[in-house]
Amino acid sequence: MYSEEDINSAVSAGAISAEAAASFRDHMSRVRALPRQSEENFRLINSFNDIFVAIGIVILLLAVGAIGQTVGDLAAPKLPFPDCDWSQGPRPSDNPEWLAYSAAKDFNDWIRMLFAGAFVAVTAWPLSEFFTRKRRMALPSILLLLAFVGGVFFAVFGAGAALGTNGEELAGALAVTFAGVVAAGAAFIHWRQFQVPITVAAAVGVAVISLLIALVGIAQLDARDPAFLIPVLIAGLAVFAFAMRWDISDRERITRHSDVAFWLHLLAAPLIAHPVFALIGITEGDNIGIGAAFGVLAIYVAFGLLALAVDRRALLVSALAYVLFALTFLFRQFGAVELNFALTALVIGSALLSLSAFWQTIRAAVVNALPEGIRAKLPPTDAVPTLTTPSSAA
């Protein structure tokens, strides 16, 4: 399997001409009866060797993490469990031996996390040099990126917690936020070195989640509180706008920018969908109300129009569970109790397959109804790709 990046690399190296590359893309679009830019291609595996290498990477990183934990045990030994008679003595929270044991155990946990994360991150980088930079393997590259960023996060968080959160929720939230910012910076460095498409989404995701956790810790908010859902929605819209910036830079979707945008859309979709549906009460239980159920359907239609316009399907997938729930409720309310699940699955399945089959026809109608200035920034609706010179491939 060859990606758009591989084709662009061949054009840049002079192995094939830009015209030949464009003709190949045009041929594949006609064979599949779908414009290439509408396929939302992303490469997860090149061959079974990717899976073989990925298994090896996971096993190795688990071993390295376990070694890091062992080193953490040596650096911060545990105290023996206190041998106390709790039936007559003070409560555990008042017992000096128990307090000393508990503090030492917490410190040991943080140090174990620090060393395990650091060992994993340090191991993932040289592996990326070989399997990402040299071998250009897709699935191993994704795993190594996640291991590196995750390792940095846990190492920094472990260090921060060991320095003294004292079990305070606010201090813990701030430690998570700081670790998230550092991990996002590590992801940026990884991107500059290896340019794995998911890296940008990983950096943004870590930063957004860390900031939201800090908000929960500082403002003492509940995850179902509208005061928390609104910032989540704002974050989702910001990520969506960032994804569109990458998409606009590659309307034909023939460079790495399109792959980066794909992962950003995948991140933005749940950050948008969940707050929207939660705010109208769809997550409150079985009795959501007919008005809320129809509201879910209306929002899903709006999401569908947006997905058609930008030629991305992530929003439709993220909102699917809420629509299934709403339709099941409506069928039950209108008397189809025994068949409510079957009817829901039939309606949704038929709608999705019909939308997929006539995606380009419906999309052309939606896009053509938009102002010219907006149309000029969206992927084209025709099936013929534009010729690309080697200098324009990124």
Side-chain angles (χ1 to χ4, degrees):
M1 180 185 295
Y2 300 100
S3 67
E4 292 290 345
E5 183 181 344
D6 295 328
I7 296 175
N8 291 333
S9 176
V11 173
S12 299
I16 60 175
S17 66
E19 291 75 12
S23 297
F24 174 74
R25 292 179 175 120
D26 182 25
H27 169 71
M28 294 309 299
S29 294
R30 298 184 189 282
V31 167
R32 298 173 181 173
L34 182 69
R36 174 196 39 75
Q37 61 265 17
S38 290
E39 293 184 352
E40 292 195 84
N41 290 321
F42 80 101
R43 187 168 55 174
L44 187 61
I45 60 173
N46 299 328
S47 64
F48 188 78
N49 190 38
D50 278 38
I51 300 176
F52 182 78
V53 172
I55 293 172
I57 287 173
V58 170
I59 294 173
L60 176 62
L61 292 179
L62 288 174
V64 168
I67 294 172
Q69 290 181 327
T70 302
V71 173
D73 285 332
L74 297 176
K78 294 180 181 179
L79 294 178
F81 192 84
D83 184 15
C84 303
D85 182 9
W86 304 113
S87 62
Q88 301 296 329
R91 296 174 302 173
S93 59
D94 298 328
N95 188 289
E97 292 184 44
W98 173 262
L99 292 176
Y101 167 79
S102 180
K105 182 181 182 302
D106 289 342
F107 186 73
N108 172 266
D109 289 340
W110 303 135
I111 295 299
R112 282 163 57 91
M113 183 181 295
L114 188 162
F115 278 100
F119 278 34
V120 168
V122 169
T123 304
W125 186 275
L127 291 176
S128 297
E129 289 285 352
F130 181 77
F131 291 108
T132 301
R133 178 186 286 276
K134 185 175 181 180
R135 297 289 298 275
R136 302 168 68 89
M137 303 181 77
L139 181 59
S141 297
I142 294 173
L143 291 176
L144 289 170
L145 172 274
L146 296 177
F148 176 73
V149 175
V152 170
F153 175 85
F154 284 111
V156 175
F157 177 67
L163 290 175
T165 59
N166 296 323
E168 296 179 3
E169 187 172 343
L170 176 58
L174 293 177
V176 170
T177 302
F178 179 71
V181 172
V182 175
F188 175 75
I189 295 172
H190 194 281
W191 165 257
R192 295 296 299 270
Q193 181 73 2
F194 304 109
Q195 297 198 345
V196 180
I198 194 178
T199 307
V200 178
V204 173
V206 168
V208 167
I209 293 173
S210 299
L211 291 175
L212 291 174
I213 291 175
L215 178 62
V216 171
I218 293 172
Q220 299 294 309
L221 296 176
D222 187 273
R224 295 169 295 180
D225 193 325
F228 175 73
L229 293 172
I230 291 175
V232 174
L233 177 59
I234 293 173
L237 293 174
V239 176
F240 179 81
F242 189 44
M244 287 305 303
R245 182 177 178 182
W246 286 87
D247 258 341
I248 291 171
S249 67
D250 181 20
R251 293 179 62 236
E252 296 287 346
R253 297 186 177 171
I254 56 177
T255 72
R256 187 182 288 114
H257 289 199
S258 175
D259 297 331
V260 172
F262 169 83
W263 292 106
L264 286 169
H265 279 290
L266 214 58
L267 171 64
L271 293 175
I272 295 173
H274 177 71
V276 167
F277 291 119
L279 287 170
I280 66 173
I282 192 66
T283 60
E284 293 301 320
D286 291 338
N287 297 318
I288 60 174
I290 294 179
F294 279 111
V296 170
L297 299 182
I299 292 171
Y300 195 69
V301 170
F303 281 175
L305 294 174
L306 179 60
L308 286 162
V310 302
D311 212 359
R312 294 289 186 184
R313 297 162 178 81
L315 261 180
L316 290 176
V317 175
S318 292
L320 194 56
Y322 303 99
V323 176
L324 287 170
F325 183 78
L327 276 178
T328 301
F329 171 80
L330 287 176
F331 282 128
R332 187 170 65 244
Q333 288 295 108
F334 288 107
V337 176
E338 295 181 358
L339 291 175
N340 60 351
F341 178 78
L343 290 175
T344 299
L346 177 63
V347 171
I348 291 296
S350 300
L352 291 180
L353 290 177
S354 299
L355 183 61
S356 177
F358 300 102
W359 182 269
Q360 283 308 304
T361 303
I362 302 173
R363 181 172 184 270
V366 171
V367 172
N368 291 335
L370 298 174
E372 176 61 30
I374 297 178
R375 290 203 305 269
K377 297 180 179 180
L378 297 175
T381 56
D382 56 67
V384 180
T386 303
L387 293 180
T388 305
T389 60
S391 61
S392 65

